[in-house]
Amino acid sequence: MTQSNRDLRDDIRDFWSDRAATFDDDPGHRIHDGADLAAWQRLFRRHLGDPEGRALLDLASGTGEIARLCQSLGFAVTGLDWSEPMLDRARAKLPGVTFVQADAERTTLPSASMDVIVTRHLVWTLVDPVAAFAEWFRVLRPGGTLLVVDGDFVSRSLLGRIVQFMSPPAPQTEIAARHKDILSRVHFSAGARADHVAALLHTAGFDRIDIDTDLAPIHRAQRAQLGWRKSLLRRSEHRYAISASKPLEN
């Protein structure tokens, strides 16, 4: 067998680069103005408090939807993503935001340079979450806050299995095959459960860890764009927001 010099991180970067042009068209990726944006704003205010112009890093920023959300709340936003095609779209969308190309597991940012770090739907793709969480801990200032929005997109509840059974089979496209291959090789290949993620955050040094599974207001706001089947499937999934703090120095 011929060995490749590519590794999983290369495959992840290239996969999302190839998805960039149509990423915002997929239901649930773009945050629509109105009820959708308001629901996301409430979730972020609940965990992050008053922005007060604090420096915020949006990890795996993609096309800039979470960066746009955080800018609307009043944070001083920096976005980071490893995919240049994703960043091209984010920069066009938010010309006033600084976007940096780097691996979210190896940000290269200065230590203690951010008051807040946020990320949506990144943790399930991590190759080495232990190293990633240590890196995020390093970049946060003492007293800073991390907010992770993610989920277990592998395991299915009884309701989820019923909805899947009732739904037409997904087309076996090249993109779907690549996604399945990547999922089989990441750390959370069996699903990123909140308690597992929280335990790894604690090991990295974070405290005041809070697991919030009340994402129903967001799911309700997205119902129209998702359609009833996907909306029901989404609400059956183990989705969550985890906030955690970097302790103040003694």
Side-chain angles (χ1 to χ4, degrees), residues 18-81:
D18 291 344
R19 295 282 312 279
T22 59
F23 188 75
D24 281 347
D25 298 334
D26 287 349
H29 289 167
R30 189 174 184 92
I31 299 175
H32 293 267
D33 291 337
D36 192 10
L37 178 61
W40 279 103
Q41 287 174 329
R42 286 193 295 272
L43 176 70
F44 274 51
R45 285 195 189 101
R46 185 160 76 237
H47 289 282
L48 302 180
D50 191 340
E52 298 177 337
R54 288 183 290 162
L56 178 146
L57 174 64
D58 174 29
L59 283 172
S61 201
T63 62
E65 286 298 287
I66 295 298
R68 182 172 72 92
L69 163 71
C70 294
Q71 185 187 54
S72 76
L73 293 171
F75 289 98
V77 179
T78 298
L80 182 148
D81 202 282

Side-chain angles (χ1 to χ4, degrees), residues 26 35 48 53 77 115 119-120 123 148 152 166 169-170 178 182 193-194 214 223 230 241:
D26 287 349
L48 302 180
V77 179
D115 298 302
T119 183
R120 179 179 69 161
V123 165
V148 169
D152 175 0
M166 295 170 57
R178 289 168 65 189
I182 287 170
R193 305 298 293 183
D214 184 17
R223 188 179 299 157
K230 190 163 185 176

Side-chain angles (χ1 to χ4, degrees), residues 32 34-40 42 215-226 231:
H32 293 267
D36 192 10
L37 178 61
W40 279 103
R42 286 193 295 272
L215 273 62
I218 292 172
H219 299 154
R220 286 195 296 270
Q222 294 175 336
R223 188 179 299 157
Q225 55 174 301
L226 293 175
S231 178

Side-chain angles (χ1 to χ4, degrees), residues 136-158:
W136 304 352
F137 189 87
R138 179 190 68 80
V139 172
L140 270 178
R141 294 183 178 123
T145 302
L146 169 69
L147 178 62
V148 169
V149 180
D150 224 284
D152 175 0
F153 309 124
V154 179
S155 307
R156 293 294 182 203
S157 65
L158 175 60

